[in-house]
Amino acid sequence: MKKLTTPFYDILGISSATICLVHCLIFPLLTILPLGLSHNPIIDLLFASIGLFAIFKITKKSTLLVSSILIVSMSLIWITILTDLFLEIHLDLIYFGGFGMIIGHLINYKNHKNLHK
């Protein structure tokens, strides 16, 4: 059985963060339309949990810069989600966290790719 490598977790993290960011940017616009949609922070928790799993796997083997970017970004995302879930206050920190997650995973993916050339 082949062991999952860091690039897999980077791709998982990039995908999850991108989908999450698109969700966060587009969904508020969709709630304006009479489609019966409402915001559900459980969806945000799902994306954040996938991202957290990827971060745990990546930070063990990544540089200090990448680890710092990913941990700070994930912290911003979790602060926003938990504030929304428990206090029903939406913070815009989630957008910065989403961008940070994408950037951190891309840097790590590039570093890993350059290391194995």
Side-chain angles (χ1 to χ4, degrees), residues 12-44:
L12 177 68
I14 291 166
S15 302
S16 175
T18 302
I19 292 169
C20 180
L21 190 58
V22 168
H23 162 79
C24 291
L25 292 171
I26 301 292
F27 192 78
L29 298 174
L30 293 177
T31 58
I32 296 171
L33 301 173
L35 300 173
L37 298 174
S38 62
H39 176 73
N40 187 348
I42 302 301
I43 294 172
D44 298 336

Side-chain angles (χ1 to χ4, degrees), residues 52-93:
L52 192 61
F53 173 74
I55 284 176
F56 280 140
K57 295 293 186 176
I58 290 170
T59 54
K60 294 176 186 176
K61 298 178 182 177
S62 64
T63 64
L64 180 61
L65 173 66
V66 170
S67 295
S68 300
I69 291 171
L70 293 176
I71 290 169
V72 168
S73 299
M74 185 53 74
S75 297
L76 293 175
I77 291 170
W78 277 95
I79 288 169
T80 302
I81 293 170
L82 294 176
T83 302
D84 189 18
L85 190 63
F86 293 113
L87 302 177
E88 296 182 9
I89 299 170
H90 181 73
L91 302 175
D92 291 334
L93 296 175

